[in-house]
Each structure stands twice: as structure tokens, then as C-alpha cells.
Amino acid sequence: MPERAHILICAGAACISAGEESFKSALEKELKEAKIYEEVKIIETGCFGTCDLGPVMVIYPEGIFYIRLKPQDARDIVNEHLLKGRVVERLLVREPELKIFLPTINELPFFKNQVRIALRNVGFIDPLNIEEYIAREGYSALGKVLTEMTPEEVIEEVKKSGLRGRGGAGFPTGIKWELGRKAKGDEKYIICNADEGDPGAFMDRSILEGDPHSVIEGMLIGAYAIGAKKGFVYIRAEYPLAIKRLTYALEQAKSYGLLGENILGTNFSFDIEIRIGAGAFVCGEETALIASVEGKRGMPRPRPPFPVNSGLWNKPTVINNVETWANIPEIILKGADWFSSLGTEKSKGTKVFALAGKINMTGLIEVPMGITLREIVYDIGGGIPEGRKFKAVQIGGPAGGCIPAEYLDTPVDYESITSLGAIMGSGGLIVMDEDNCMVDVAKFFLSFTQDESCGKCVPCRVGTKRMLEILDKITKGDGEIRDLEELEDLANVIKNTSLCGLGKGAPNPVLTTLKYFRDEYIAHIKDKKCPAKSCIALIHYEVIREKCRKCSICFKNCPVGAIFKDYDGTYVINQEKCTKCGICFQICPFKVIKKE
């Protein structure tokens, strides 16, 4: 029977946690009651990227994009859209400025300004169906390298593409493979680093949840190129859905003869195992990761020797992250020239970012290298909510840095971002507005890296703790001007003497906020004020007496009884009892409580 419609429902972790499964059950029930269940094909896909709008789905052939779906919406979708051909407007995205509906997925600026390579299949195919991956040229690149290319030709193609590792350091992938190929060893290994630990980052998780075969195929090609027979995917236990789908994909690939002995009838044999990590941030560093795969405590070691010469069990080992592996099949199929035509002179291709923070459209995006931060924040992300002012963007995770508004037109590439004191990192991108205190932001990221320090080297273990103590003192109004000099001295020592990248990058948020927002530090220290009115110790709430309507709402809702009625019936906040929870400020219907 001809199919009436194809429905793609996002079954990424965010949409599932927002109720995707209950909506899908309701939709199936309504389709059966309308007696059109057999005419509609429902496919659960990986993450669309619009995580803030979930659960979401697209109905084809029109491409109508519905958001924030609830079980009770299923009946309208079936009766109006599928039976009568009428779009259900209340479930569409609404353009905030023009206040018009954007019915189709291709009309959304969030999607139409992206270029998807690593995410090419995420949100389009069922990740549990290998045939859907094959239908979109999946494993064609593997067939090409095994039948038409020598390992050296594969490496040359990857080198020519200009692909750099997407895990953070940006080392040229082709050169790493070449070193692995030339390294001497009777055994060699391939590792996929899926230990994604940056706060707010979920790029690698989404690729593994939505398109695990692209990573498997990339690893197969890499293994062929360097001469490895064994590979590992190191993934953190906090990603159960990604582990489940990757495990299933590996079993499917084996059943199709794409993993194991004599792949596609050739002499090439390769297999992949999953290693589940306990979630230590330091295990994203490759020597710590290798130790963890070997069953040891995940701690970094000095380099050289580098893993490409002496890695897993002292054998040559090539490590790339999820996004890097997912790019490989497309480079082989479409060619190095096509890939290198995207991006800038030294940063080729695209980059996946997890867009989060104070922005209208949060989620997963893939953009060409060289795009500006402004284009990401405003053209794709839709700008800052409620017309607030953009203040900064934190890029590169806890080892990255804060870039202020005056650099919004900076192109996003490795060299430009590094020149501002930040790093590209794995792709975390957090937008902040005028309500964010930059001292507090630096404290948050340093607190994270201090908690995650493995403790092996003194500069990181002790230095970050001392820096955190100083930041804590400043946010409580107890800072001194000389603290700023001590912060900078400590930061430079930690950067220059720590053992691994985690320690070397830990001071970056402090250094960049000191560089671009030094006036905020000075306001905390000299004026004992937080300009963003964020640091609790430096703010207070006060009723504007002459405007108080005597409604008593603040009095009734204060959880600690810090508000009392004065002689004239107006209300007053007892500053000694006030815990600065802000409830009175939020609920006052006449906005006569000020925050200073």
C-alpha cells in the first residue's frame, strides 16, 4: 500500500527525556484508530539538534517540523495533518521578530545555515538499521579503500583534505596516521575517544546515538591505513543510549561481514570492542585514556614517547575522537579537494558545536570553519533571549576561554580562536549575557577542573586549588588587588609546568576573563559590588518604600520571615535575616523590589 507519510521522530537523549516515547505511543494509537497506521512509516532517528524544542518530528514529503510534542497533540496531527492535509500551526516554530510560522524544517535559520558532514545522517536515519546507513552510501568509502586504494593513498588523501583532530588539539589527522603507519610494531591499535567530558558538550554522544556506523566505518578506514587489526571505542558510562546503539551497530556490522576476518572478501581483518569509562574528565587525555583501557587508573604520563609510537600496551596507537572518525568516510567518497574547499586556509571542513547558554536556539550545530561567532550566535542561534545584550562566549570547554563582544566577528578557526586566548576544544560553546558575572564564570570552570584534577602533578593539583580559593575570596567581597597579580602568576606557572592538557588549559578561563573583564574583578575587590548582580555575597534586596503597594505578597512568600510590615504599612526587608534567595524580587507584581 502506498505510504501516506514518512514521520521522523527525534529519539536523541534530550527528546527522550522530554517525553518522546510517550508521544510516539500516543501517535501510534491515534493512527490505528484512524485506520491509517499501515500507511504511515514512523522512524526514530538520532538528534535533530534542536534540543530545546523537543520532542520534535518532521513529516515528509512536505518536511513539516513540529515541536514540543505532547501525547495529547497526536490526535490533532493525525486528524488535521495526515487526514485533512492541514498543518497544525500551534505546533510549529514561530519566528520571534516577524511573528510568522515556519512550517518546514528547511525554512528554519537554525538548519539552513549549517553544513553537515559529520552530522550528515544524524536525524535522517534510524541508527538501529544498518540498511538505512548503507542506503545513504554507508560503507561505500570502505569498499573504495579496500578495492581501489593502498594504505599510503588513503593517508595521502586524508593529509590532503587538511582534516585536523576535532577532539581539541587540532593535530593534522593524516600526519598522525602517517606516523602510525611508519611506527614499528607487530601489533597496532586504533582508538575512538568518546570520553566527552566538557560541561554542556554532547557532540560525540549525539553522533554515536544517531549515526554509529559512520564512526565504525571511519575506524575501519583508519585501521586499514595504519595496519591495525584491533580497535577500541572508549566511552563514558554516562552515555547509556550511545553505548546501547553502538553495541547494536557493531553486532550488525559483524553480521554483514564488515567487521571481523576478511572484510568484504579481502585480506583485511579488523574488530572493535567497547571500553566503558567511569566518567573521569582526565581520561579524555589520550595517555590517561590508554591507561584506563589497559585496566589501570586513568592518569596521564609524560610524553614522549607519543601514543602513535608507544601507546596501548606499548604498541603504536592512533587515537582520534568521534567527530574526526565520522568525517573520514565522506572525505574518501567525495575527495580531499571537496573537503578542503570548505573552511579557511589552515582549518578545513566543518566543526560540530554544542550551542548552549543564553541563546534562543540551543542545540547541536555543524558549521563551516571560518564562520564568525556572530553568525553562530545570531543567524543560527537566533540571538539572545528577551533582547538582552550579548556579553561573551565561552568556547573550548573548561580549558577554553571567554571571548567578549568586541570579537564577535572573529572567524571560528583554530588559529583565530587561539590568538584570543581560548581554544577550539571539542566544541562546547556557551553564550553569556549581561547577567553573567565573569568572575563567577571563571570560578565555575576552575572549580570543575580542580574537581577533575587527577592529582598526579603538583601544579595542577595544588595550583588550581589555590587559584580557586582566591576566586572564592573575590566573589565574597574579601579580595585584594594583589590577588589579581597572584592569580596571573599562578596561572602562568600551571600552564607551563602541568603534566597534561587538562592542567595546562585549566587557567584559561581565568586568564581570559582577567584580560577582557578586568574591570569586573576590580569592582568586586574595590567597590565590593558585582556588576552583573550575580554574586550572592555582594548583592542585597530592598523594597522601594515610596512605590510599595502594601499588597503583602513578598511578606507572605519570604521563606525565612525576613520581611516585615513597617509603621506605615509598607514592607521592609531585614538584611540580617535575608538569605538573598530572590523570591521577593521575582514575585513582586509591581516590580518595586530592587536588586543592588
Side-chain angles (χ1 to χ4, degrees):
M1 183 178 292
E3 289 172 345
R4 184 185 291 263
H6 278 71
I7 297 179
L8 305 186
I9 301 181
C10 176
C15 278
I16 288 176
S17 60
E20 179 269 344
E21 290 171 334
S22 57
F23 168 75
K24 177 172 171 278
S25 296
L27 181 63
E28 289 175 331
K29 178 174 176 288
E30 294 295 336
L31 289 171
K32 288 173 184 174
E33 288 184 3
K35 302 186 187 307
I36 58 171
Y37 182 77
E38 300 300 328
E39 301 174 43
V40 176
K41 187 176 180 63
I42 298 176
I43 301 168
E44 288 182 291
T45 72
C47 178
F48 282 25
T50 50
C51 302
D52 190 42
L53 303 179
V56 298
M57 74 175 191
V58 182
I59 299 182
Y60 287 101
E62 304 95 336
I64 303 299
F65 185 60
Y66 289 128
I67 64 171
R68 297 196 175 103
L69 298 165
K70 296 180 176 58
Q72 54 267 35
D73 298 323
R75 178 163 296 177
D76 275 357
I77 290 171
V78 170
N79 291 338
E80 291 297 312
H81 187 126
L82 296 174
L83 289 176
K84 298 174 184 174
R86 297 194 292 228
V87 173
V88 184
E89 286 194 346
R90 65 181 178 84
L91 299 175
L92 299 175
V93 174
R94 190 168 185 175
E95 210 285 329
E97 291 186 3
L98 301 176
K99 302 195 184 304
I100 58 172
F101 292 109
L102 303 174
T104 68
I105 192 167
N106 293 329
E107 290 177 277
L108 267 66
F110 182 83
F111 289 108
K112 70 182 183 184
N113 290 313
Q114 294 189 46
V115 177
R116 293 192 163 207
I117 299 175
L119 297 178
R120 60 193 177 280
N121 294 322
V122 180
F124 289 97
I125 66 170
D126 177 357
L128 299 178
N129 189 339
I130 190 173
E131 293 187 1
E132 291 199 13
Y133 179 71
I134 291 172
R136 288 174 64 91
E137 297 188 306
Y139 291 108
S140 297
L142 176 66
K144 180 179 178 181
V145 301
L146 293 184
T147 58
E148 301 175 19
M149 300 174 75
T150 66
E152 290 75 16
E153 288 172 334
V154 174
I155 291 170
E156 194 56 36
E157 193 70 6
V158 176
K159 282 174 64 179
K160 191 177 166 189
S161 74
L163 176 67
R164 296 167 67 170
R166 300 301 196 233
F171 190 82
T173 304
I175 292 177
K176 183 183 279 190
W177 288 19
E178 188 175 51
L179 293 170
R181 178 74 187 171
K182 292 177 178 176
K184 297 187 184 306
D186 53 347
E187 289 180 80
K188 296 180 182 179
Y189 295 104
I190 288 283
I191 293 179
C192 172
N193 184 351
D195 191 58
E196 184 176 52
D198 290 0
F202 52 95
M203 302 78 63
D204 293 349
R205 171 174 61 77
S206 295
I207 292 173
L208 287 172
E209 287 178 358
D211 191 20
H213 286 287
S214 67
V215 179
I216 296 170
E217 187 178 9
M219 292 179 70
L220 278 156
I221 293 168
Y224 172 75
I226 74 157
K229 292 185 177 179
K230 188 75 178 180
F232 295 90
V233 177
Y234 185 83
I235 184 169
R236 51 182 44 221
E238 293 99 319
Y239 287 179
L241 185 62
I243 294 170
K244 179 182 175 182
R245 291 180 180 173
L246 177 62
T247 302
Y248 192 81
L250 289 172
E251 291 171 357
Q252 281 186 321
K254 287 176 186 174
S255 70
Y256 275 66
L258 296 165
L259 280 174
E261 299 294 323
N262 303 116
I263 294 169
L264 297 179
T266 68
N267 293 326
F268 173 61
S269 300
F270 181 68
D271 205 356
I272 297 174
E273 289 184 26
I274 296 175
R275 288 287 188 272
I276 299 175
F281 181 67
V282 73
C283 286
E285 196 278 339
E286 55 185 20
T287 61
L289 184 155
I290 286 171
S292 184
V293 173
E294 291 174 342
K296 303 170 187 171
R297 180 178 173 182
M299 298 178 85
R301 62 161 173 79
R303 298 180 295 176
F306 292 95
V308 74
N309 291 311
S310 179
L312 192 60
W313 295 298
N314 300 319
K315 306 292 184 184
T317 304
V318 166
I319 304 177
N320 286 123
N321 84 325
V322 171
E323 185 185 341
T324 310
W325 290 121
N327 271 294
I328 296 297
E330 284 293 273
I331 291 172
I332 297 299
L333 271 186
K334 295 185 177 177
D337 291 340
W338 162 78
F339 187 82
S340 63
S341 69
L342 299 164
T344 64
E345 182 182 354
K346 294 182 178 178
S347 299
K348 304 297 187 184
T350 57
K351 179 75 191 80
V352 180
F353 288 100
L355 196 55
K358 306 285 187 64
I359 192 162
N360 281 313
M361 291 285 285
T362 60
L364 196 69
I365 62 169
E366 183 170 1
V367 292
M369 292 282 195
I371 190 172
T372 65
L373 288 169
R374 185 185 301 278
E375 289 173 299
I376 291 178
V377 172
Y378 288 96
D379 295 348
I380 295 177
I384 314 300
E386 301 173 4
R388 291 183 178 275
K389 187 178 177 184
F390 172 89
K391 186 171 191 177
V393 62
Q394 163 74 14
I395 184 169
C402 295
I403 298 176
E406 56 260 42
Y407 295 106
L408 257 178
D409 292 313
T410 299
V412 177
D413 60 55
Y414 290 99
E415 285 69 29
S416 299
I417 297 298
T418 302
S419 71
L420 296 177
I423 61 170
M424 185 80 80
S426 60
L429 205 155
I430 300 172
V431 179
M432 290 169 276
D433 70 9
E434 54 201 332
D435 288 342
N436 288 105
C437 167
M438 302 312 291
V439 184
D440 196 47
V441 167
K443 180 180 158 185
F444 168 80
F445 283 106
L446 195 67
S447 174
F448 176 84
T449 47
Q450 212 282 317
D451 281 347
E452 294 289 341
S453 173
C454 74
K456 187 171 182 177
C457 72
V458 174
C460 179
R461 184 182 71 241
V462 180
T464 56
K465 186 173 179 58
R466 180 67 187 127
M467 288 183 71
L468 187 58
E469 289 169 356
I470 296 172
L471 289 174
D472 190 53
K473 195 169 77 166
I474 294 172
T475 55
K476 287 178 178 173
D478 299 324
E480 303 169 73
I481 285 295
R482 64 181 180 183
D483 287 334
L484 302 185
E485 188 178 342
E486 188 174 354
L487 274 176
E488 288 170 325
D489 288 345
L490 280 167
N492 289 323
V493 170
I494 295 167
K495 278 180 75 73
N496 294 325
T497 60
S498 290
L499 180 60
C500 76
L502 188 154
K504 291 179 187 299
N508 284 344
V510 180
L511 288 173
T512 52
T513 50
L514 274 170
K515 180 178 180 181
Y516 300 120
F517 301 96
R518 200 177 190 88
D519 56 331
E520 289 199 24
Y521 281 85
I522 292 173
H524 282 71
I525 294 170
K526 283 190 171 180
D527 305 332
K528 308 302 177 189
K529 287 187 176 179
C530 172
K533 299 174 184 175
S534 173
C535 295
I536 288 179
L538 299 178
I539 60 173
H540 75 276
Y541 296 94
E542 187 178 335
V543 179
I544 305 172
R545 292 186 70 120
E546 59 271 25
K547 294 184 179 178
C548 178
R549 303 288 187 90
K550 307 173 185 176
C551 68
S552 78
I553 290 177
C554 60
F555 168 77
K556 292 174 182 174
N557 285 278
C558 178
V560 295
I563 299 177
F564 61 92
K565 183 189 286 188
D566 212 350
Y567 65 92
D568 59 354
T570 60
Y571 287 88
V572 177
I573 298 175
N574 182 332
Q575 298 298 328
E576 292 185 359
K577 290 183 71 175
C578 178
T579 60
K580 303 173 184 179
C581 66
I583 290 177
C584 59
F585 180 76
Q586 294 168 17
I587 65 168
C588 176
F590 307 109
K591 306 298 179 191
V592 298
I593 294 179
K594 63 181 179 181
K595 181 181 178 184
E596 294 288 350

